[in-house]
Amino acid sequence: MTDEQVVSATAQSAARTDTFPRLLRVVSLGVGPLVAALVLGGLVLLLMGFNPLSYYAYVVQRAIFSPSGLEATLTRMGPLLLIAASLIVAFRAGIWNLGGDGQYLLAAVFVAAIVPLMLGILPVWTNLLLGLFIGAAVGAIWGLLPAILKAWQGLNEIITTLMMSFLGVSLANVLVKLAFLDPATTTPQTRTLPVEARLPRLFDTSVSSGLIIGLVAVIAVHLIMTRTSFGMRLRLVGANPRAAIHAGLSVPTLTIAVFAISAALAGLSGAVDILGTHGNVRADWNPAYSLTVVPLVFLARLNGFGSIAYVFLFSALTIGGESAARRIGVPSFFSLVIVAILLITLGLAEYLDKRHQERARR
Amino acid sequence: MQALDQAPAALAATPSGAPVVALRGVTKRFPGVVANDDVTIEIRSGEVHVLLGENGAGKSTLVGMLSGLQQPDEGRIEIDGKVCVVASPKQALAMGMGTVFQHSMLVPSLTVTDNFALGGPWWKRPDRAGIAAGIRDTARRLGLRVDPQALVSSLSLGERQQVEILRALMRGSRCLILDEATAMLTPHEAVALGELMRRLVAQGIAVIFITHKLNEAIAYGDRISVLRLGRKVGEIDPDALRGASESENIERIIALMFGTSEKGESVRRVQVSRRLGDVVLTVEGLCCDAGRVPVRDISFSVRSGEILGIAGIDGNGQKELAEVLAGQLPRGSGSILLMGSEMGGASVGERRNRGLRYVTDDRLGEGTVGTFPVATNFLLKDIGADPFWRGGIERPQEIRLQAERHVRDFDIRTPGTQTPVGKLSGGNIQKVLLARELTGAAEAVIFAKPTYGLDVNNIRTTRKRIREAADSGKAVVLISTDLDELLELADRIAVMDRGRLRGIVGNDDDARDAIGRLMSAGDDE
């Protein structure tokens, strides 16, 4: 070999060793923690006296490979994706809207109370559109107080949104039990929306079109945050509020806008869940989607597409977990255990990766 | 105060001792760079050994190796003549090497005493009274005043540094490494630190003082080693240093640092007279109480092509004045006229659109977003503007092209336009700001401490940019705490003190004296 050949050969091998570990890194960072979480979760199952392999097999079979299970999984994704969109807007703009549960539930209650009353007066599709609008509006109104306090008083929105969330959940319950009670039933719940007046189903399946609304919302939010000047302004406020002031942005106005969008999306999620799946709200019902989705969007690093993947995974875990609870006896909350372990393994993987990189730099 | 007076005498009497620490032929490589190349340096007790060099000359890597954070690839470190491996910061401390880093390593929410107690065995209750007594004792010995019960957050940056030096000494350091110790200090605090260094060496401590400021090196150093691109390019021993005049020393060091003699530029007043145009910016009776220091009754006007310098000790309302002018702080009363029209009520963005630019001194705090790419940081003040956005949609091609143009025109050293700006050196971040503020249709530019914390080379390019801005007909307001910078660049110099302008003098031969008189006149009130 001549010198030149040697040089090019070493350069090639250097390039190969360079790209190969990079691929390996992406794979190990993306899949490794998931596998580790499932293994650790399996250990927990073993300790509880269940066979982890048969549990996982059952969950996957019921949630993904059985047609009805997959349809339930996809339907559940709709409201979860809207919540994810709500959180991505807020978190990317540096605002911790943790009040999604109250915004969701109040919106759900108002939608469930008003939409059945309008049946027969308006055509079904205007009724549905109006229902979605009511949901978004109620959510946004419930986010207004924390928004104002944050924008002009600098009050910590973590505390105010959480407080408003507790209040919202309680108020929703009170409304169901006192004001919006269905007189035709004995259990405290709102009037039930007939199945034919709900959001249309997709094709021949039982998947609600809420899934489409959710997918559109989360992708739109992703594109707005990454590709538009409005999104750039929000990200600037989120990354460095002082730089935003220096750059001449009106931080209070943007804060209000972020709250309005985020809370409206949470409210929309409630509307979609009622109009698409439940049809009514029973007293003391609170799925607490918002706080459950918080770890998911962080696992996806506030990326819209990543969030879709994580929401699908979580949705499958809960749907499969719910039937496993009936069949095998593993509590349905086990899916939350998996998410919690996943957070830890992902954090660990990131820590190890950072240390590895630092070591390589030395 | 007695100790202070005796310090120089004690120094003259103390002969330079044997090397406490020596680096012999040390080489340290990082992927793609040789940070230190065959460096040999001896640190003697009773000497302030200055390591002088530009950003990136390899000073920090040397500190890293001496403090046990990094290991040399080649060469050896000797302590008291014996070859040692400094494997960890803990070990470095045990060997008597104390390091005070540029950024405070104290816990702000704890008292001084509790900070000293950190690192003790966890199962023992810290002997707070003993530690406090030790602090008072050591502080007295060095002529410092430190309150052991004070919360660290209540101390100024200079006081925090003194506390860190005390801590290093109380842990038995014989060799004290001060890494860019004066970079964050006010000029007054820097002088105090210089005096403290003299007292430390008078007591037989070896001090390694890392800086990129020539005047500090000459004022406080006994021995100066100059680093350039990782190599040690020269050393000036104490005899040579004391034997020569200040200007001879400066010339020699500049020759070492840049490989050329830059005599022409070190002479003050290179400022050439420009033809001044019409009045661009007029400020009348401006007051503002919204900032930390209230601004009172400021009046001045700047013409096209003119540089108005604003001198004064840092923290006398200069920052507030700049922010009121830029619109970041609300004006209390008074008027701000740009090209004859009032803009006191306009927002930050409107003022920028009308041609007012503000180059902030807080480059990472508000000037840029460290995690955003360089290309994005060029546009922080023009979000949504044509041609970079069309109908609110980003156009990556245009943004990239502009970024590449700026990087080329302003000679910004960055791996790419998508590199997070926080990864660049201070000088290059400043160039990003200059590129953003000086392009486009600007009428008036406010520079706040534009060369603060930069190395000699970047100071020179920044000053050139300021001069060019004025040459091209812009009205320039130059706020600086560096009098020499103002004397070099400004046409007229105003003195600011406790929120007021004490007077404006023309930059002629007795400007320095006149400014001095104005500053001291303010003190009499």
Side-chain angles (χ1 to χ4, degrees):
Chain A
M1 266 204 263
T2 65
D3 279 358
E4 268 175 45
Q5 277 171 324
V6 173
V7 168
S8 73
T10 46
Q12 263 176 12
S13 74
R16 205 177 315 137
T17 49
D18 207 41
T19 50
F20 178 64
R22 197 174 298 158
L23 193 75
L24 195 75
R25 210 185 119 216
V26 170
V27 170
S28 61
L29 270 181
V31 179
L34 185 59
V35 173
L38 291 176
V39 170
L40 287 171
L43 288 178
V44 174
L45 283 172
L46 268 183
L47 285 175
M48 290 161 64
F50 299 102
N51 182 349
L53 287 180
S54 60
Y55 173 80
Y56 287 139
Y58 185 79
V59 166
V60 171
Q61 206 275 320
R62 287 312 295 264
I64 299 175
F65 291 116
S66 83
S68 66
L70 184 61
E71 284 166 13
T73 298
L74 293 176
T75 301
R76 174 72 58 87
M77 281 178 75
L80 291 179
L81 285 174
L82 282 163
I83 293 280
S86 148
L87 293 175
I88 289 173
V89 173
F91 292 164
R92 281 222 178 197
I95 284 169
W96 288 79
N97 176 16
L98 297 183
D101 286 338
Q103 292 147 14
Y104 165 97
L105 203 60
L106 266 183
V109 165
F110 273 97
V111 169
I114 297 171
V115 174
L117 293 180
M118 302 187 300
L119 276 182
I121 305 170
L122 293 169
V124 169
W125 63 273
T126 25
N127 216 354
L128 288 173
L129 280 183
L130 214 61
L132 294 177
F133 175 78
I134 291 170
V138 169
I141 288 169
W142 207 245
L144 197 63
L145 188 64
I148 290 170
L149 290 174
K150 168 77 179 177
W152 282 294
Q153 304 297 323
L155 217 64
N156 187 327
E157 77 281 9
I158 298 179
I159 296 173
T160 51
T161 52
L162 273 176
M163 293 293 195
M164 287 301 282
S165 191
F166 293 135
L167 285 175
V169 170
S170 307
L171 179 61
N173 258 319
V174 169
L175 289 175
V176 170
K177 286 177 184 166
L178 298 180
F180 302 151
L181 207 60
D182 180 0
T185 60
T186 47
T187 48
Q189 63 178 42
T190 62
R191 285 184 182 81
T192 306
L193 193 64
V195 174
E196 61 277 10
R198 296 187 189 173
L199 286 173
R201 294 182 167 172
L202 293 175
F203 315 111
D204 293 335
T205 66
S206 68
V207 178
S208 163
S209 49
L211 173 68
I212 303 295
I213 300 177
L215 284 173
V216 168
V218 85
I219 292 172
V221 157
H222 183 87
L223 293 180
I224 286 172
M225 292 311 283
T226 53
R227 298 283 156 80
T228 67
S229 55
F230 178 67
M232 167 79 92
R233 289 196 181 99
L234 295 188
R235 281 192 293 141
L236 175 53
V237 174
N240 185 344
R242 285 182 55 214
I245 293 170
H246 181 68
L249 300 186
S250 167
V251 177
T253 316
L254 289 171
T255 305
I256 300 274
V258 169
F259 263 107
I261 297 170
S262 173
L265 283 168
L268 192 61
S269 168
V272 163
D273 215 6
I274 298 307
L275 298 175
T277 320
H278 298 288
N280 65 11
V281 175
R282 271 168 290 136
D284 299 320
W285 176 72
N286 175 16
Y289 283 152
S290 179
L291 290 180
T292 334
V293 175
V294 170
L296 299 182
V297 297
F298 274 105
L299 286 171
R301 282 146 215 243
L302 308 183
N303 179 303
F305 299 103
S307 300
I308 294 174
Y310 273 106
V311 164
F312 173 72
L313 183 80
F314 178 73
S315 185
L317 270 176
T318 45
I319 293 292
E322 275 162 21
S323 50
R326 287 192 293 274
R327 190 64 167 276
I328 307 181
V330 178
S332 59
F333 297 118
F334 188 74
S335 51
L336 293 180
V337 174
I338 298 283
V339 171
I341 298 177
L342 187 58
L343 268 179
I344 296 171
T345 53
L346 212 85
L348 267 178
E350 195 147 307
Y351 167 74
L352 290 176
D353 176 60
K354 206 172 222 173
R355 229 177 54 165
H356 178 78
Q357 277 185 320
E358 253 164 37
R359 197 145 319 142
R361 221 175 294 141
R362 263 177 211 176
Chain B
M1 281 294 102
Q2 217 177 5
L4 198 156
D5 297 331
Q6 282 171 353
L11 166 85
T14 322
S16 295
V20 186
V21 185
L23 294 159
R24 302 212 186 272
V26 166
T27 299
K28 176 74 189 172
R29 297 185 192 87
F30 293 107
V33 259
V34 183
N36 288 138
D37 188 3
D38 193 19
V39 174
T40 297
I41 284 175
E42 289 180 350
I43 317 294
R44 294 158 199 278
S45 62
E47 261 186 26
V48 175
H49 193 135
V50 182
L51 291 184
L52 193 64
E54 287 195 81
N55 298 341
K59 296 168 298 188
S60 305
T61 314
L62 273 186
V63 176
M65 288 190 285
L66 285 173
S67 55
L69 292 169
Q70 284 155 353
Q71 300 305 315
D73 295 327
E74 282 166 32
R76 56 187 197 274
I77 298 174
E78 289 175 10
I79 294 179
D80 294 326
K82 285 189 294 265
V83 180
C84 289
V85 177
V86 190
S88 68
K90 203 169 180 176
Q91 204 179 346
L93 211 53
M95 289 170 167
M97 318 270 294
T99 310
V100 176
F101 291 96
Q102 182 178 354
H103 299 280
S104 174
M105 299 283 170
L106 298 170
V107 183
S109 56
L110 296 182
T111 64
V112 173
T113 310
D114 286 346
N115 265 288
F116 280 52
L118 292 177
W122 58 267
W123 63 88
K124 271 195 213 154
R125 173 190 270 277
D127 171 21
R128 289 206 171 81
I131 294 171
I135 293 172
R136 274 194 212 95
D137 193 46
T138 317
R140 198 175 311 119
R141 198 151 49 83
L142 290 172
L144 295 177
R145 265 185 317 183
V146 172
D147 174 10
Q149 258 69 56
L151 275 182
V152 166
S153 57
S154 69
L155 303 179
S156 74
L157 288 179
E159 286 170 324
R160 286 182 206 195
Q161 209 164 44
Q162 292 175 355
V163 169
E164 293 212 58
I165 292 172
L166 273 187
R167 181 166 70 167
L169 292 179
M170 283 176 64
R171 286 182 176 172
S173 303
R174 294 168 300 146
C175 175
L176 198 62
I177 305 166
L178 303 174
D179 187 9
E180 299 278 2
T182 54
M184 312 301 262
L185 300 186
T186 63
H188 191 74
E189 285 175 324
V191 171
L193 179 68
E195 286 164 357
L196 176 59
M197 280 193 272
R198 298 314 318 167
R199 276 172 275 160
L200 287 169
V201 293
Q203 300 192 354
I205 306 270
V207 174
I208 305 176
F209 176 47
I210 289 134
T211 183
H212 53 246
K213 293 182 186 159
L214 297 183
N215 54 346
E216 287 176 357
I218 291 165
Y220 314 132
D222 294 306
R223 190 186 290 272
I224 299 176
S225 290
V226 180
L227 293 174
R228 190 166 102 221
L229 299 171
R231 290 168 177 277
K232 181 172 145 182
V233 290
E235 181 172 313
I236 305 177
D237 61 36
D239 294 335
L241 198 59
R242 249 171 269 139
S245 73
E246 189 175 329
S247 59
E248 282 169 351
N249 280 328
I250 288 182
E251 217 173 294
R252 191 162 163 209
I253 293 170
I254 286 182
L256 286 174
M257 280 175 84
F258 303 105
T260 47
S261 174
E262 307 271 350
K263 199 172 176 184
E265 280 200 72
S266 65
V267 175
R268 88 170 190 90
R269 297 292 303 271
V270 285
Q271 161 230 10
V272 284
S273 56
R274 281 172 294 268
R275 266 224 332 262
L276 303 187
D278 298 333
V279 170
V280 173
L281 181 69
T282 308
V283 174
E284 239 162 286
L286 190 65
C287 295
C288 166
D289 289 321
R292 219 158 41 90
V293 179
V295 171
R296 285 270 160 270
D297 200 20
I298 303 279
S299 298
F300 62 80
S301 66
V302 195
R303 298 163 68 179
S304 155
E306 185 183 28
I307 302 179
L308 173 72
I310 296 186
I313 293 157
D314 206 11
N316 271 290
Q318 296 99 318
K319 174 102 192 151
E320 284 77 6
L321 173 60
E323 291 189 352
V324 179
L325 292 178
Q328 288 176 225
L329 281 180
R331 132 195 95 148
S333 62
S335 72
I336 305 167
L337 300 171
L338 184 70
M339 311 294 282
S341 62
E342 176 65 42
M343 59 162 202
S347 69
V348 175
E350 280 169 51
R351 292 184 202 206
R352 183 176 162 85
N353 290 341
R354 282 161 69 173
L356 182 78
R357 304 298 167 94
Y358 170 35
V359 182
T360 175
D361 58 340
D362 194 354
R363 289 166 212 143
L364 271 172
E366 66 173 14
T368 57
V369 178
T371 52
F372 282 11
V374 171
T376 308
N377 272 290
F378 286 134
L379 289 167
L380 287 188
K381 293 192 178 177
D382 300 297
I383 298 175
D386 201 58
F388 310 108
W389 280 268
R390 270 278 156 79
I393 309 289
E394 199 171 289
R395 303 174 78 207
Q397 178 78 356
E398 298 289 337
I399 293 174
R400 209 197 62 229
L401 284 179
Q402 172 192 269
E404 281 166 3
R405 216 159 43 231
H406 280 337
V407 165
R408 202 172 51 242
D409 293 350
F410 283 78
D411 189 28
I412 299 165
R413 310 284 165 82
T414 167
T417 55
Q418 291 305 311
T419 309
V421 86
K423 296 222 159 135
L424 306 190
S425 69
N428 284 307
I429 295 175
Q430 177 70 326
K431 287 180 193 167
V432 170
L433 285 191
L434 291 174
R436 185 173 77 201
E437 304 302 335
L438 295 181
T439 43
E443 302 288 353
V445 190
I446 304 158
F447 292 93
K449 290 193 284 179
T451 58
Y452 183 68
L454 300 186
D455 64 26
V456 182
N457 227 345
N458 280 312
I459 288 177
R460 205 182 310 150
T461 43
T462 305
R463 288 185 186 165
K464 197 169 121 246
R465 294 283 176 197
I466 297 171
R467 217 174 285 130
E468 283 169 4
D471 289 344
S472 68
K474 298 177 176 79
V476 173
V477 176
L478 172 61
I479 297 170
S480 179
T481 49
D482 182 346
L483 192 51
D484 290 319
E485 176 166 287
L486 294 172
L487 292 171
E488 180 188 321
L489 294 172
D491 297 288
R492 288 179 302 144
I493 300 172
V495 175
M496 192 155 186
D497 178 41
R498 277 167 288 165
R500 289 172 188 277
L501 284 193
R502 297 290 165 188
I504 302 181
V505 297
N507 188 3
D508 48 30
D509 286 337
D510 30 73
R512 189 184 286 271
D513 295 335
I515 291 166
R517 276 197 301 276
L518 282 172
M519 281 185 173
S520 52
D523 282 335
D524 291 341
E525 268 183 37

